[in-house]
């Protein structure tokens, strides 16, 4: 690395730290919090008028899905997206020869993880409840709708400095060795696609020598040696048709294009906001009024401005989640007992950022098998209840519902609670009826039916261009 590149990458990390902020940093354009909401909105009426006022106050339109091509400045290229779909499922991208994007972002779980904590390399070839192998450190988040995310990953280590994934004018910040070098790419997802093949615990394994460029070079060698992929890329890129090799820019753009086709933001709340007043049940409407109002959920699970109606402020907060350390893992965890996850601190190097994680976007959350960054809860009701009173929930937390290899002693909790975000320190009291309504809204009111496994399973190719066998995709066990 030249000294100029080193300075550029160190500058990128400094900018990343400033852009990410600490766990107590709030987006300047955050949604209205309950204490600042106009009195007219805080009334006791749970009907349409109240909810409509909340949606207007938070500038929620229910139309974000329709803005994609306008923000791209072009139509989505379906042919290129289909190449990305093949790559998504094909082990040719994994230098360890046993994992794919779909192994951790499965069509059976809304393009999210099938496990509470991800299982990457050295897996058994199964995607679903029966997947086994050494675990990573966190649950793999959903990638549906990520076209609208200004930050990616639980510790936001990939993000757009403009807070707009469609805008590379200020650059895309990545940890070293990439730093700011991927900022020439047109969208944050095209840049992020450079990273998974280089992740040792996800796809690359520990045996292939070299750094990130060497790993990407091996993937390109495989693709260029494959007649089927040469033909597919030649249809999409003139330079490949003319005989030039496939380059990783081509791979990144193809995978990003596939992700552009995976927009599932037509939930009952969206249809309701567009004027379809019967799109939501009475219970979902009451739950939505609580979400946007007295329960205060929208303060972090925001919809306004750069949140792009994704139900996340895309900032980092310490939510007080109990720390889970698998008994069988290919990761070295943080802390003296090697049973902690320092979260944002891993990116910024700032101890003040310890235990902070990006607010999870909530669209289609009902399709997840587990919740929080480490899958600590496998029932949505438990995750919501914990948010309402994190300190009390910490005292009664149990790993009994988790898979056997995640039921061991939890990591230290008091250091986490000592940094608990002020937004979560004051308990929210709900009646049983109110709690059930809040769950109904988050579970059903935010679910786009097109994201269900019955539809997304159609994405799985019958045959892969590489000739390698596909993974086995199991059905999820129930819906929580």
């Amino acid at each position: 690395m030249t000294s100029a590149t080193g300075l550029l990458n160190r500058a990128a990390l400094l900018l990343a730290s400033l852009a990410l902020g600490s766990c107590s940093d709030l987006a300047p354009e955050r949604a209205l919090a309950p204490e600042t909401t106009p009195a007219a909105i805080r009334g006791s009426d749970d009907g349409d008028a109240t909810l409509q006022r909340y949606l207007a106050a938070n500038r929620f339109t229910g139309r974000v899905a329709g803005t994609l091509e306008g923000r791209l400045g072009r139509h989505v290229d379906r042919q290129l997206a289909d190449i990305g779909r093949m790559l998504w499922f094909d082990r040719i991208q994994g230098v360890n020869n046993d994992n794919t994007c779909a192994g951790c972002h499965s069509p059976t779980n809304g393009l999210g993880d099938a496990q509470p904590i991800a299982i990457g390399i050295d897996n058994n070839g199964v995607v679903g409840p029966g997947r086994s192998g050494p675990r990573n450190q966190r649950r793999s988040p959903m990638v549906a709708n990520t076209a609208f995310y200004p930050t990616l990953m639980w510790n936001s280590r990939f993000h757009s400095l403009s807070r707009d994934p469609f805008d590379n004018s200020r650059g895309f910040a990545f940890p070293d060795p990439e730093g700011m070098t991927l900022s020439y790419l047109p969208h944050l997802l095209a840049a992020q696609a450079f990273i998974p093949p280089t992740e040792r615990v996800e796809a690359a394994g520990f045996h292939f020598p070299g750094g990130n460029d060497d790993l990407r070079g091996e993937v390109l060698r495989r693709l260029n040696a494959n007649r089927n992929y040469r033909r597919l890329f030649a249809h999409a890129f003139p330079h490949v048709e003319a005989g030039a090799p496939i380059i990783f820019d081509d791979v990144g753009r193809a995978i990003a294009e596939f992700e552009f086709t995976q927009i599932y933001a037509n939930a009952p709340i969206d249809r309701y906001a567009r004027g379809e007043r019967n799109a939501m049940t009475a219970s979902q409407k009451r739950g939505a009024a609580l979400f946007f109002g007295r329960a205060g959920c929208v303060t972090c699970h925001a919809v306004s401005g750069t949140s792009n109606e994704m139900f996340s402020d895309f900032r980092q907060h310490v939510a007080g989640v109990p720390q889970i350390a698998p008994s069988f893992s290919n990761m070295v965890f943080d802390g003296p007992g090697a049973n902690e996850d320092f979260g944002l601190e891993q990116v910024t190097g700032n101890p003040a950022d310890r235990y902070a994680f990006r607010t999870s976007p909530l669209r289609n959350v009902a399709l997840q098998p587990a919740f929080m960054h480490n899958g600590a809860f496998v029932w949505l009701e438990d995750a919501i209840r914990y948010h309402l009173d994190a300190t009390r929930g910490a005292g009664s937390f149990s790993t009994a519902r988790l898979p056997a290899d995640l039921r061991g002693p939890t990591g230290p909790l008091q250091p986490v609670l000592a940094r608990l975000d002020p937004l979560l320190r004051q308990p929210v009291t709900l009646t049983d009826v109110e709690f059930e309504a809040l769950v109904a809204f988050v579970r059903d009111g935010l679910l786009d039916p097109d994201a269900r496994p019955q539809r997304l399973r159609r994405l799985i190719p019958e045959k892969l261009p590489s000739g390698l066998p596909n993974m086995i995709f199991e059905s999820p066990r129930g819906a929580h």
Side-chain angles (χ1 to χ4, degrees), residues 65-132:
T67 69
L68 175 67
E69 291 190 338
R71 296 177 71 176
L72 286 173
R74 59 175 177 80
H75 293 300
V76 172
D77 185 335
R78 299 287 168 174
Q79 178 178 266
L80 182 58
D82 201 54
I83 299 174
R85 178 175 71 96
M86 295 298 171
L87 290 167
W88 193 267
F89 289 90
D90 202 330
R91 303 183 203 203
I92 197 169
Q93 267 207 99
V95 176
N96 206 57
N97 301 311
D98 63 351
N99 201 25
T100 72
C101 300
C104 296
H105 302 285
S106 171
T108 59
N109 292 94
L111 295 177
D113 210 337
Q115 291 286 320
I117 293 181
I119 296 172
I121 62 166
D122 299 332
N123 65 77
N124 61 347
V126 171
V127 181
R131 188 171 177 85
S132 63

Side-chain angles (χ1 to χ4, degrees), residues 144-159:
N145 299 317
T146 47
F148 296 103
Y149 291 11
T151 69
L152 301 170
M153 313 304 285
W154 285 108
N155 56 13
S156 296
R157 63 186 183 270
F158 315 138
H159 66 283

Side-chain angles (χ1 to χ4, degrees), residues 45 94 104 200 293 309 410 416 433:
D45 176 22
C104 296
R200 295 287 181 175
E309 302 191 7
T410 57
V416 182
V433 172

Side-chain angles (χ1 to χ4, degrees), residues 12-88:
L13 283 180
L14 176 60
L15 286 170
S17 178
L18 292 173
L20 289 170
S22 69
C23 58
S24 61
D25 185 33
L26 292 178
E29 53 200 340
R30 67 176 184 169
L32 292 172
E35 64 272 15
T36 59
T37 303
I41 297 178
R42 293 201 306 266
S44 60
D45 176 22
D46 289 332
D48 287 324
T50 298
L51 180 53
Q52 289 166 33
R53 288 193 295 267
Y54 273 127
L55 296 180
N58 286 275
R59 301 188 294 279
F60 185 86
T61 67
R63 300 179 185 277
V64 66
T67 69
L68 175 67
E69 291 190 338
R71 296 177 71 176
L72 286 173
R74 59 175 177 80
H75 293 300
V76 172
D77 185 335
R78 299 287 168 174
Q79 178 178 266
L80 182 58
D82 201 54
I83 299 174
R85 178 175 71 96
M86 295 298 171
L87 290 167
W88 193 267

Side-chain angles (χ1 to χ4, degrees), residues 1-350:
M1 177 185 294
T2 65
S3 59
T5 303
L7 286 172
L8 179 63
N9 285 331
R10 286 195 292 275
L13 283 180
L14 176 60
L15 286 170
S17 178
L18 292 173
L20 289 170
S22 69
C23 58
S24 61
D25 185 33
L26 292 178
E29 53 200 340
R30 67 176 184 169
L32 292 172
E35 64 272 15
T36 59
T37 303
I41 297 178
R42 293 201 306 266
S44 60
D45 176 22
D46 289 332
D48 287 324
T50 298
L51 180 53
Q52 289 166 33
R53 288 193 295 267
Y54 273 127
L55 296 180
N58 286 275
R59 301 188 294 279
F60 185 86
T61 67
R63 300 179 185 277
V64 66
T67 69
L68 175 67
E69 291 190 338
R71 296 177 71 176
L72 286 173
R74 59 175 177 80
H75 293 300
V76 172
D77 185 335
R78 299 287 168 174
Q79 178 178 266
L80 182 58
D82 201 54
I83 299 174
R85 178 175 71 96
M86 295 298 171
L87 290 167
W88 193 267
F89 289 90
D90 202 330
R91 303 183 203 203
I92 197 169
Q93 267 207 99
V95 176
N96 206 57
N97 301 311
D98 63 351
N99 201 25
T100 72
C101 300
C104 296
H105 302 285
S106 171
T108 59
N109 292 94
L111 295 177
D113 210 337
Q115 291 286 320
I117 293 181
I119 296 172
I121 62 166
D122 299 332
N123 65 77
N124 61 347
V126 171
V127 181
R131 188 171 177 85
S132 63
R135 294 194 186 270
N136 298 357
Q137 194 169 33
R138 302 171 187 140
R139 177 175 62 83
S140 297
M142 288 184 179
V143 298
N145 299 317
T146 47
F148 296 103
Y149 291 11
T151 69
L152 301 170
M153 313 304 285
W154 285 108
N155 56 13
S156 296
R157 63 186 183 270
F158 315 138
H159 66 283
S160 170
L161 290 175
S162 69
R163 301 286 295 172
D164 181 351
F166 298 86
D167 177 14
N168 64 1
S169 62
R170 293 182 59 191
F172 299 144
F174 286 70
D176 285 341
E178 283 72 28
M180 301 284 285
T181 63
L182 300 174
S183 299
Y184 67 94
L185 291 159
H187 191 280
L188 182 59
L189 287 178
Q192 189 271 335
F194 275 62
I195 306 301
T198 72
E199 296 284 2
R200 295 287 181 175
V201 300
E202 294 178 12
F206 299 99
H207 303 297
F208 188 87
N212 287 7
D213 285 339
D214 300 297
L215 289 163
R216 285 189 284 260
E218 172 60 15
V219 172
L220 290 174
R221 184 195 67 76
R222 295 180 179 195
L223 291 173
N224 280 297
N226 183 278
R227 181 180 303 175
N228 291 329
Y229 273 112
R230 287 284 312 173
R231 175 177 53 81
L232 289 171
F233 275 92
H235 288 321
F237 295 101
H239 64 271
V240 180
E241 185 179 26
I246 301 166
I247 61 176
F248 219 88
D249 288 35
D250 307 332
V251 175
R253 289 172 192 254
I255 291 174
E257 204 73 12
F258 169 66
E259 292 176 293
F260 293 155
T261 67
Q262 301 307 301
I263 305 300
Y264 301 102
N266 190 31
I269 186 64
D270 300 292
R271 300 195 295 275
Y272 179 88
R274 297 197 302 266
E276 190 179 331
R277 297 301 180 229
N278 294 325
M280 299 174 71
T281 66
S283 181
Q284 289 169 18
K285 291 175 186 178
R286 288 193 296 271
L290 288 163
F291 183 96
F292 286 100
R294 182 159 55 87
C297 309
V298 76
T299 306
C300 294
H301 293 282
V303 295
S304 301
T306 57
S307 292
N308 290 322
E309 302 191 7
M310 290 292 117
F311 294 86
S312 171
D313 61 3
F314 293 100
R315 301 278 175 171
Q316 293 68 43
H317 302 274
V318 179
V321 181
Q323 303 204 70
I324 307 296
S327 60
F328 181 34
S329 176
N330 51 24
M331 296 286 295
V332 177
F333 278 60
D334 299 317
N339 57 358
E340 299 183 69
D341 184 345
F342 286 174
L344 180 60
E345 183 185 353
Q346 296 174 350
V347 179
T348 66
N350 185 351

Side-chain angles (χ1 to χ4, degrees), residues 439-461:
V439 171
F441 170 64
V442 175
R443 183 189 60 220
D444 304 317
L446 299 180
L447 175 61
D448 184 333
D450 283 346
R452 292 181 182 275
Q454 298 92 318
R455 181 187 182 280
L456 292 194
R457 286 188 71 94
R458 302 172 195 170
L459 295 172
I460 303 172

